Amino acid sequence: MGVTLSCPRCAAQVRKPDLMHSDWRCDNCGDVPPFHVAEHISAEIVDSMLGQPSPERVPFWCPWPLPPGWMVTGAGWAGDDRRGVRASAISCSGPEPLGGGPADVVLIAEQPGVGLGTRFAGIPGIDPGYLIAEALADPNGHAGPHAKIKAAGHPTPLWCVKSPEDRSAYVSEAKGMWLYAVAWPASAGYFLAEHVVLHDLAEGVPPELVYGAPSPYLHGRA
């Protein structure tokens, strides 16, 4: 299985541990858990990814059932053999809800301090807590969450945060970890208005899951 490695925070190359450093490291960001992305996606690759050690179980969120025309198009995780999985990413692709063109959504779960979600969302910092606080405190803003989904059977509010114009980014918490949903193009964020239910693949992979060509956003375009 071909796998690419990068910094979860800035997408730069990472250096392996050596005699001087016990952790993986990025020249820009310092010590980081490397982000692994499989070059292709299949049921076997998903099973391999779910088999990585994860002392604090990180969910691998996937919409299920998938909306009509949507497919799983990528999978990745941040972590190493010493500390296990600290973040996960699943990408899905399908028809854009409003225009019908191609759309991509990347769902990320991560422990605090990883920075993978902010990388894909295109927002500063490592954790999004301050952005949720700003959204809640904005007197001219939305009175409540901008979207509502279900994650592992629980109603989960999502807040839209300021991101680059080519995408829309929503953040929340689920299972005690950060949850990000980042969509390209920006209008594809309406995907989250379609009664989305997120299933944790770590609790079982539906045999009917459909796989497609690799998402360009999970493979370096973001």
Side-chain angles (χ1 to χ4, degrees):
M1 176 179 67
V3 175
T4 60
L5 295 178
S6 65
C7 174
R9 301 174 186 172
C10 73
Q13 290 185 338
V14 287
R15 299 176 184 269
K16 294 181 179 181
D18 55 30
L19 293 176
M20 301 295 295
H21 300 86
S22 59
D23 292 310
W24 289 78
R25 62 198 186 281
C26 167
D27 289 343
N28 301 321
C29 304
D31 294 346
V32 294
F35 181 46
H36 311 244
V37 178
E39 293 179 355
H40 301 285
I41 187 67
S42 66
E44 293 75 20
I45 288 173
V46 171
D47 288 342
S48 174
M49 178 185 65
L50 295 174
Q52 299 297 326
S54 182
E56 185 177 354
R57 174 57 69 183
V58 174
F60 287 79
W61 295 120
C62 178
W64 188 255
L66 286 167
W70 281 74
M71 299 174 287
V72 174
T73 54
W77 61 281
D80 57 28
D81 293 338
R82 290 177 54 221
R83 300 182 183 178
V85 176
R86 296 188 58 200
S88 68
I90 298 290
S91 63
C92 300
S93 304
E96 196 262 318
L98 297 182
D104 291 82
V105 174
V106 174
L107 296 162
I108 294 169
E110 68 177 34
Q111 298 173 3
V114 176
L116 182 65
T118 53
R119 162 184 160 183
F120 278 90
I123 57 181
I126 296 176
D127 293 320
Y130 73 100
L131 293 169
I132 297 178
E134 288 176 0
L136 292 172
D138 184 0
N140 300 315
H142 196 278
H146 300 98
K148 295 180 181 180
I149 61 173
K150 274 193 174 183
H154 298 284
T156 303
L158 293 170
W159 282 269
C160 185
V161 297
K162 187 176 182 180
S163 60
E165 294 182 356
D166 67 333
R167 73 198 75 179
S168 56
Y170 293 78
V171 297
S172 187
E173 275 188 90
K175 288 193 172 183
M177 300 185 189
W178 294 121
L179 165 64
Y180 295 79
V182 186
W184 293 265
S187 57
Y190 284 101
F191 170 90
L192 299 168
E194 298 183 342
H195 308 290
V196 171
V197 176
L198 298 185
H199 167 69
D200 181 3
L201 295 179
E203 297 180 353
V205 180
E208 306 89 352
L209 210 59
V210 179
Y211 303 95
S215 165
Y217 297 99
L218 200 60
H219 290 80
R221 185 171 171 182

